[in-house]
Amino acid sequence: FPVTIQVNPAQTTTYSVNGTDSNGCLASDSVTVYRPSVVMGSNQAICAGAFASLSVTLASAPASMLNLTYSWSPSAGLNDPQISNPLASPTTTTIYTVQVTDQISGCILSGQVVVFVIPKPVVDLGTDFSVAAGSSSNLIPLVQNAGLTPSYTWSLLAPIYGSLSVSNTRNTQFLANSVVPGVVIQGVVLSVMS
């Protein structure tokens, strides 16, 4: 006659049973009860407008025994909320929750990951101005949302009619060449990375 027991292991466990009949014949069998767990990717920080790669997998369960579906929420900012590894581009810091359902066992597991959105720096070099040949002018930009330790890179656009005193600080000085072919326009670019 069959013997039934109920088990609810905290982790994947293999159970074995031995049976002996009245003639002393021995038989044995075993079964493994898998206790899958969700493995989430790390929390991430992105600049506004960039993408983060999210991921979820199941540990402690053989792939051959699983038929998984995925549901990420909120779905806003995701390229596909029904896959295991969507791309996320939220406009603000967002906590994403994923529900993983195994269609074979009916198990439902969930996990969370945070995507922190860092605002892009705002840079304003002010209005255009004139510099006489051979003279210099200080360039002091207004910079916002640059974070705690931003890096600065100044550059001149071609054609070049002068030089910069430094190229890796917040403020710099432009020195116009002593000889220029009439009235010229010199483009100056400041890149800020927060």
Side-chain angles (χ1 to χ4, degrees):
F1 58 93
V3 176
T4 302
I5 62 170
Q6 288 187 334
V7 296
N8 186 17
Q11 59 191 15
T12 297
T13 304
T14 299
Y15 296 91
S16 299
V17 62
N18 295 317
T20 305
D21 66 11
S22 60
N23 297 316
C25 294
L26 177 67
S28 63
D29 198 2
S30 64
V31 64
T32 300
V33 177
Y34 293 95
R35 189 67 182 239
S37 59
V38 169
V39 179
M40 300 296 299
S42 301
N43 294 338
Q44 299 179 53
I46 61 171
C47 292
F51 289 90
S53 296
L54 308 184
S55 66
V56 60
T57 58
L58 284 191
S60 302
S64 60
M65 295 180 64
L66 300 176
N67 180 13
L68 304 177
T69 59
Y70 306 90
S71 178
W72 292 85
S73 64
S75 60
L78 298 178
N79 68 324
D80 187 344
Q82 305 297 318
I83 61 176
S84 64
N85 56 344
L87 294 177
S89 183
T91 56
T92 60
T93 295
T94 302
I95 300 173
Y96 286 102
T97 301
V98 62
Q99 181 173 290
V100 183
T101 304
D102 178 18
Q103 301 299 313
I104 296 175
S105 67
C107 289
I108 300 175
L109 302 168
S110 63
Q112 289 186 328
V113 65
V114 182
V115 177
F116 298 93
V117 178
I118 302 167
K120 286 184 178 179
V122 177
V123 179
D124 185 0
L125 292 177
T127 58
D128 295 345
F129 58 92
S130 299
V131 177
S135 64
S136 64
S137 178
N138 292 325
L139 301 175
I140 304 173
L142 172 65
V143 180
Q144 298 174 322
N145 299 334
L148 297 177
T149 57
S151 62
Y152 301 93
T153 305
W154 289 90
S155 58
L156 298 175
L157 300 178
I160 295 176
Y161 299 105
S163 60
L164 298 169
S165 60
V166 291
S167 61
N168 59 353
T169 61
R170 179 173 179 156
N171 302 330
T172 191
Q173 187 177 66
F174 174 73
L175 174 62
N177 291 340
S178 57
V179 177
V180 293
V183 176
V184 296
I185 296 175
Q186 176 64 69
V188 179
V189 176
L190 170 60
S191 299
V192 179
M193 182 175 293
S194 58

